[in-house]
C-alpha cells in the first residue's frame, strides 16, 4: 500500500546501519491492527530485515494526568501485549510512576534502532514530542493514521463543514475501508532490549494507578472501559441496535441513541476505517448512515484539519473575524449571573439541566453531544470574560472527558464561541454568536428522564 501521503520525514538524519531493530513509538494510535503507522513500521523493518519494537509509554506528568485517563489507557495494554506477541513484534509498555522512575526511554531505545516511526497527531502534547524526537541522530518518520482522508490532502485550514464536505466527498470513494496488517518477516517477540517495562493485567491496574503521582480525585469511569475489544463490543452494539435510528435518536440525551465511540477513537483503540466500514456494511437506512458519517467523517476531519493548520487552535484567537468582532462589541456587557469556577465544576449551579450534564461528565467521563453544546454555551454567561469561559471549558473537558485533549475538544469548545458556525441574532453577552437556553433545550427531549439518569 502506498503510504506516502500519510508519512512525513521529520529530519534529514541518516539510517543507523548498526541498528538492531526498527522502533515504533506508539503514542496515539493504540491498536495492534488497522493502523497505518504500524504498517509503515513493519514495511521499514521488512525492507531492512530487522525485527520491530513497539514502545508505548505512559508518564505521570502530562497535563490533566489522572486515574480516569490512566485506567482507560491501561485497560488496553494486555490485549496489545497478546496480539503483538502473536505477530512476532516486541511490544514494551512502560508506566513511569514518579520522578524517581527511569525517564528518556524513547531516546535510549532509539540508540539501538535503525530508524524511528512515530504517530502524527495534530494537537495536545504530541507535536512537541515529535519535534523533540526529530532531533535524534537517526531518521524519524511521523505517520498520520487519524482520519479517512490523509491530513496532507487538504493543505489549508477549511472555513466550515460546508467547505470541507465536498472535498472529502470527492476523495472518499477511492479510500480504503480496510487496513490489512502486513506480515513481519523477522519475528522476535521476546527480543532483548534496554528498557524498563511494566506488566499490566486486569488485576493490577488499580494498584498501578494508585502508585502514580497523578490527580487521584478524578475516578475511573463508572461506565466506559478502555481497549480495542471494549471499543469493538460497543461498535457491534451500536451498529446492530442504534444505527438504524441514529438520525432520530442522536439528539436525545435521555436515550442510548449515539455511538459513544469517541473515547475509543480518541485513544486510537479503534480506527475510523473500521468504524466506517462497519457502518457502511450495516443493515440500516441510508438516512441514518449518512447522518452518522457526517459526524464521524465531516465534523471529525474538520476538527483535525483545524488543529493541523491553525497554531492558535487552543485559543480564542482562532475564531473567525465576525466572532472576534462581536465579542469585542459585547466584552463589557453586564454579566448578572456570574458563578465561581468551583461551583460550576461541582455541578452546583442554579440550572438543573446544566448540573445534570456536568454530573454525567464527572461520573461517566463522557457528555452527550447535544448536552455538550448547552454545557459550553452556558458557561459563557457565567464567567466575567470570554477568555475565562474558554479556559474553564478546556480545563473541565480535558480533565474529566475520556475523549478530551482531542482536535474535537478544541473545535467543539470553540464552536460554542462561533468557530465553524455563522452569525445569528444580536443579543447581550453573546452578540451574534448562537445562543442556547436550558428552557428551550428541555422542550426538545425528555429532560426529566435525562436528569434522573445521571
Ligand atoms: C463543547 C463541546 C466539547 C466537545 N468536546 C469533545 C471532545 O473532547 N472529544 C470529542 O471527541 N468530541 C467532542 N465534542 C464533539 C461531540 O460532542 C462528540 O464527539 C460526541 O458527543 C461524541 O459522542 P458519540 O461518540 O456518541 O458521537 P456520535 O454522534 O456517535 O458520532 C460519531 C463520532 O463522530 C465524531 N463526532 C460526533 N460529533 C462531532 C462533532 N460535533 N464534532 C466533531 N466530531 C464529532 C466523534 O468522533 C464521534 O465519536 C465536543 C462538542 C462540544 C459542543
Amino acid at each position: 500500500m502506498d503510504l506516502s501521503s500519510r508519512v512525513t520525514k521529520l529530519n534529514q538524519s541518516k539510517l543507523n546501519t548498526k541498528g538492531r531493530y526498527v522502533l515504533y513509538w506508539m503514542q496515539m494510535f493504540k491498536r495492534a491492527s488497522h493502523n497505518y503507522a504500524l504498517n509503515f513500521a513493519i514495511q521499514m523493518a521488512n525492507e531492512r530485515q530487522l525485527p520491530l519494537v513497539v514502545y508505548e509509554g505512559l508518564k505521570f506528568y502530562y497535563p490533566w494526568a489522572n486515574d480516569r485517563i490512566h485506567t482507560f489507557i491501561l485497560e488496553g495494554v494486555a490485549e496489545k501485549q497478546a496480539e503483538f506477541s502473536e505477530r512476532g513484534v516486541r511490544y514494551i509498555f512502560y508506566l513511569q510512576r514518579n520522578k524517581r522512575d527511569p525517564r528518556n526511554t524513547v531516546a535510549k531505545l532509539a540508540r539501538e534502532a535503525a530508524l524511528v516511526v512515530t504517530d502524527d497527531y495534530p494537537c495536545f502534547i504530541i507535536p512537541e514530542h515529535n519535534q523533540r524526537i526529530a532531533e535524534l541522530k537517526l531518521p524519524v518518520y511521523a505517520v498520520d493514521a487519524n482520519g479517512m482522508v490523509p491530513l496532507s490532502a487538504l493543505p489549508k485550514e477549511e472555513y466550515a463543514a460546508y467547505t470541507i464536505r465536498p472535498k472529502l466527498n470527492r476523495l472518499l470513494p477511492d479510500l480504503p475501508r480496510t487496513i490489512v496488517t502486513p506480515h513481519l518477516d523477522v519475528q522476535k517477540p521476546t527480543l532483548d532490549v534496554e528498557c524498563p517495562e511494566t506488566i499490566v493485567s486486569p488485576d493490577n491496574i488499580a494498584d498501578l494507578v494508585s502508585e502514580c503521582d497523578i490527580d487521584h480525585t478524578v475516578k475511573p469511569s463508572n461506565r466506559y472501559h478502555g481497549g480495542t475489544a471494549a471499543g469493538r463490543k460497543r461498535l457491534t452494539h451500536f451498529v446492530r441496535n442504534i444505527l438504524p435510528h441514529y438520525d432520530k435518536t442522536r439528539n436525545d440525551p435521555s436515550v442510548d441513541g449515539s455511538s459513544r465511540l469517541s473515547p475509543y477513537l480518541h485513544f486510537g483503540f479503534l480506527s475510523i476505517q473500521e468504524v466506517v466500514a462497519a457502518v457502511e456494511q450495516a443493515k440500516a437506512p441510508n438516512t441514518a448512515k449518512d447522518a452518522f458519517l457526517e459526524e464521524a467523517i465531516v465534523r471529525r476531519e474538520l476538527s483535525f484539519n483545524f488543529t493541523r493548520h491553525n497554531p492558535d487552535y487552543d485559543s480564542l484567537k482562532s475564531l473567525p473575524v465576525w466572532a472576534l468582532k462581536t465579542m469585542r462589541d459585547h466584552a463589557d456587557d453586564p454579566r448578572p449571573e456570574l458563578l465561581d469556577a468551583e461551583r460550576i465544576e461541582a455541578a452546583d449551579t442554579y440550572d438543573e439541566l446544566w448540573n445534570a450534564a456536568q454530573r454525567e461528565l464527572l461520573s461517566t467521563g463522557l457528555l452527550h453531544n447535544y448536552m455538550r453544546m448547552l454545557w459550553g454555551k452556558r458557561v459563557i454567561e457565567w464567567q466575567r470574560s470570554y477568555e475565562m469561559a474558554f479556559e474553564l471549558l478546556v480545563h473541565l473537558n480535558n480533565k474529566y472527558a475520556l475523549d478530551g485533549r482531542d482536535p474535537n475538544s478544541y473545535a467543539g469548545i470553540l464552536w460554542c464561541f462561533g468557530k465553524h458556525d455563522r452569525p445569528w441574532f444580536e443579543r447581550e453577552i453573546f452578540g451574534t454568536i448562537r445562543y442556547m437556553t436550558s428552557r428551550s433545550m428541555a422542550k426538545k427531549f425528555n429532560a426529566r428522564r435525562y436528569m434522573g439518569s445521571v
Side-chain angles (χ1 to χ4, degrees):
M1 180 183 288
D2 177 24
L3 290 175
S4 52
S5 58
R6 292 187 178 266
V7 179
T8 310
K9 193 161 183 230
L10 298 183
N11 60 17
Q12 297 309 317
S13 302
K14 296 227 165 56
L15 192 76
N16 173 11
T17 48
K18 293 197 188 114
R20 295 198 295 128
Y21 45 79
V22 163
L23 175 63
Y24 167 31
W25 183 15
M26 178 180 275
Q27 303 190 70
M28 286 311 294
F29 312 134
K30 297 178 182 292
R31 53 185 184 265
S33 60
H34 298 265
N35 181 347
Y36 286 122
L38 172 67
N39 285 12
F40 181 73
I42 294 177
Q43 194 182 309
M44 292 290 106
N46 286 350
E47 280 173 17
R48 287 153 191 87
Q49 288 298 293
L50 289 172
L52 175 63
V53 172
V54 174
Y55 174 77
E56 185 184 354
L58 182 57
K59 57 192 187 186
F60 65 96
Y61 55 90
Y62 62 91
W64 298 288
N66 62 45
D67 285 16
R68 177 170 298 171
I69 304 172
H70 259 50
T71 302
F72 202 73
I73 293 172
L74 288 169
E75 284 167 343
V77 171
E79 63 183 16
K80 277 196 289 278
Q81 184 71 62
E83 198 176 336
F84 274 128
S85 175
E86 246 169 63
R87 290 185 191 279
V89 173
R90 173 72 165 103
Y91 168 72
I92 305 162
F93 179 84
Y94 169 53
L95 180 68
Q96 190 193 355
R97 285 162 245 213
N98 52 48
K99 273 204 270 231
R100 296 172 300 282
D101 275 351
R103 52 196 309 167
N104 296 328
T105 36
V106 182
K108 282 180 200 153
L109 272 171
R111 279 187 211 143
E112 291 204 87
L115 61 94
V116 179
V117 176
T118 180
D119 293 336
D120 181 3
Y121 186 77
C123 75
F124 195 46
I125 51 178
I126 311 301
E128 202 185 299
H129 282 179
N130 287 348
Q131 225 172 15
R132 230 174 315 130
I133 199 180
E135 289 164 11
L136 293 176
K137 299 266 174 288
L138 78 172
V140 179
Y141 298 88
V143 185
D144 157 23
N146 297 293
M148 289 297 291
V149 173
L151 284 168
S152 66
L154 301 172
K156 283 201 215 121
E157 185 185 346
E158 294 293 332
Y159 187 74
Y162 76 87
T163 67
I164 201 173
R165 192 179 295 111
K167 294 174 187 159
L168 294 175
N169 284 341
R170 252 196 314 275
L171 295 164
L172 278 166
D174 298 330
L175 292 169
R177 272 47 178 170
T178 322
I179 309 171
V180 180
T181 313
H183 171 85
L184 176 65
D185 292 347
V186 182
Q187 304 202 354
K188 297 228 165 117
T190 56
L191 185 76
D192 203 15
V193 285
E194 280 265 329
C195 187
E197 187 164 6
T198 310
I199 302 303
V200 183
S201 72
D203 303 333
N204 71 355
I205 290 177
D207 286 344
L208 287 173
V209 170
S210 72
E211 289 162 15
C212 294
D213 277 354
I214 55 176
D215 178 359
H216 295 299
T217 63
V218 185
K219 301 295 172 208
S221 168
N222 61 4
R223 196 175 296 168
Y224 304 102
H225 296 287
T228 298
R232 285 192 178 137
K233 194 168 157 205
R234 177 65 195 178
L235 176 60
T236 306
H237 173 79
F238 169 69
V239 163
R240 277 199 201 132
N241 306 309
I242 300 172
L243 178 65
H245 44 78
Y246 172 84
D247 51 326
K248 302 189 182 69
T249 55
R250 62 176 282 266
N251 278 342
D252 184 347
S254 72
V255 298
D256 187 15
S258 70
S259 74
R260 309 257 164 180
L261 287 175
S262 52
Y264 301 99
L265 287 167
H266 169 68
F267 285 107
F269 288 134
L270 290 181
S271 73
I272 191 64
Q273 284 78 8
E274 191 172 356
V275 173
V276 166
V279 166
E280 286 180 340
Q281 288 156 19
K283 261 201 199 149
N286 282 340
T287 45
K289 290 186 186 183
D290 290 347
F292 180 81
L293 297 175
E294 168 70 15
E295 303 303 322
I297 302 179
V298 177
R299 293 280 160 183
R300 184 168 177 272
E301 305 215 0
L302 180 63
S303 305
F304 277 79
N305 166 274
F306 162 57
T307 46
R308 166 51 42 101
H309 294 296
N310 197 322
D312 292 321
Y313 69 79
D314 60 351
S315 142
L316 294 179
K317 281 190 230 153
S318 62
L319 291 173
V321 172
W322 69 263
L324 290 170
K325 178 175 184 311
T326 205
M327 287 193 321
R328 267 197 309 275
D329 294 345
H330 290 268
D332 297 328
D333 287 1
R335 267 98 169 142
E337 299 183 353
L338 290 180
L339 286 172
D340 288 344
E342 290 74 25
R343 281 190 60 192
I344 294 175
E345 180 160 5
D348 179 25
T349 76
Y350 59 84
D351 181 336
E352 282 310 321
L353 186 57
W354 192 92
N355 290 345
Q358 177 68 4
R359 281 201 306 275
E360 182 186 2
L361 181 62
L362 291 179
S363 61
T364 71
L366 210 57
L367 180 49
H368 189 279
N369 179 52
Y370 208 44
M371 293 310 303
R372 236 168 176 161
M373 299 194 276
L374 179 77
W375 178 81
K377 294 278 184 189
R378 291 249 57 194
V379 172
I380 297 175
E381 289 176 83
W382 293 339
Q383 292 290 283
R384 214 172 313 115
S385 69
Y386 303 109
E387 288 76 14
M388 284 170 72
F390 177 72
E391 270 164 37
L392 180 58
L393 286 167
V394 169
H395 172 66
L396 295 178
N397 191 77
N398 286 354
K399 178 174 174 183
Y400 292 105
L402 286 166
D403 62 8
R405 308 153 306 281
D406 187 274
N408 282 348
S409 318
Y410 298 99
I413 292 166
L414 285 164
W415 174 86
C416 299
F417 296 81
K419 186 77 189 169
H420 299 151
D421 203 3
R422 64 175 173 86
W424 291 70
F425 312 106
E426 185 91 26
R427 56 168 301 120
E428 319 82 73
I429 304 174
F430 282 79
T432 52
I433 296 169
R434 187 196 296 247
Y435 177 65
M436 290 169 99
T437 67
S438 296
R439 195 186 300 169
S440 64
M441 191 93 161
K443 288 189 195 138
K444 295 186 180 147
F445 62 93
N446 190 334
R448 200 168 289 279
R449 187 165 60 193
Y450 172 68
M451 291 193 281
S453 71
V454 289

